[in-house]
Amino acid sequence: MIKKTAIYPGSFDPITNGHIDLIKRASKLFDTIIIGITQNNRKPSFLDIDDRLKGVKDALADIDNIKVMSFNTLLVDFTKMQNAQIILRGLRAVSDFEYEFQLSGMNKHLNPNIETIFMTPAEQYANISSSLVREILSLGGDISAFVPSNIEAILKEKI
Ligand code: ADP
């Protein structure tokens, strides 16, 4: 049987309970999920790559079939290099669709052998975004409902 490996790419700046819900669901469908954290030197991130790597690893420590890595190459090249066949993306609302549809189309053009699969989170996580978590944090709001406790600690230390 062919083992199915999916890459779940993103900036995870920070990882939220929405991302985690998606990863938990996906971990039951695929043999391995590789969380690919983008390390984009042109787009500055709030958390540096080491904090994001450690934070994501600790937050997902109870899931067996996942790996956490960073990458700074083309997503399709990273996917191929990891012997993965699937790119996993999340869809929260219609507003995500246009960008995600374009992204998957371009990735399919770059490598037609790689499929993009979309999943949706449980309803209570559909409104959570990393950018809003950063904004609430910067204004002194309570982010404990949106991120796991180890991430909340990293974020609070950062500000
Ligand atoms: P990017 O910078 O690539 O958009 P993100 O870390 O923001 O990276 O998101 C990674 C993926 O997770 C994207 O497909 C995004 O749509 C999805 N995602 C983000 N937040 C949620 C959420 N609350 N529930 C489900 N999927 C989500």
Side-chain angles (χ1 to χ4, degrees):
M1 205 177 86
I2 301 170
K3 294 271 182 205
K4 290 285 178 214
T5 300
I7 305 279
Y8 183 38
S11 33
F12 303 104
D13 189 25
I15 190 164
T16 67
N17 291 338
H19 293 125
I20 291 172
D21 182 64
L22 210 87
I23 293 163
K24 283 190 174 156
R25 290 163 190 282
S27 70
K28 296 181 191 137
L29 299 176
F30 302 105
D31 296 297
T32 307
I33 312 279
I34 299 176
I35 319 298
I37 306 180
T38 51
Q39 194 182 357
N40 185 340
N41 296 330
R42 273 162 293 136
K43 189 176 140 200
S45 57
F46 178 68
L47 292 178
D48 64 36
I49 190 67
D50 292 336
D51 279 346
R52 283 183 286 152
L53 272 168
K54 183 172 182 340
V56 172
K57 275 184 193 161
D58 290 348
L60 301 174
D62 59 337
I63 310 175
D64 291 334
N65 56 334
I66 61 148
K67 288 184 198 164
V68 184
M69 306 173 78
S70 64
F71 72 102
N72 57 10
T73 58
L74 262 182
L75 175 57
V76 286
D77 293 345
F78 176 66
T79 305
K80 194 172 168 205
M81 192 108 102
Q82 299 305 319
N83 287 320
Q85 309 80 12
I86 294 151
I87 294 170
L88 180 65
R89 293 288 286 176
L91 281 181
R92 285 163 292 186
V94 181
S95 51
D96 279 341
F97 180 78
E98 204 165 309
Y99 173 71
E100 294 293 340
F101 187 70
Q102 196 180 9
L103 190 68
S104 68
M106 292 192 80
N107 282 332
K108 183 158 274 171
H109 187 87
L110 292 169
N111 188 333
N113 299 318
I114 296 173
E115 288 296 339
T116 300
I117 289 183
F118 298 103
M119 290 181 68
T120 53
E123 211 179 324
Q124 69 265 36
Y125 301 118
N127 293 318
I128 305 178
S129 74
S130 301
S131 59
L132 280 177
V133 167
R134 293 196 302 271
E135 197 166 328
I136 293 167
L137 178 80
S138 72
L139 296 169
D142 180 7
I143 54 164
S144 59
F146 309 128
V147 295
S149 54
N150 73 306
I151 299 293
E152 187 183 359
I154 293 174
L155 290 169
K156 284 190 168 157
E157 198 163 302
K158 180 86 186 173
I159 52 166

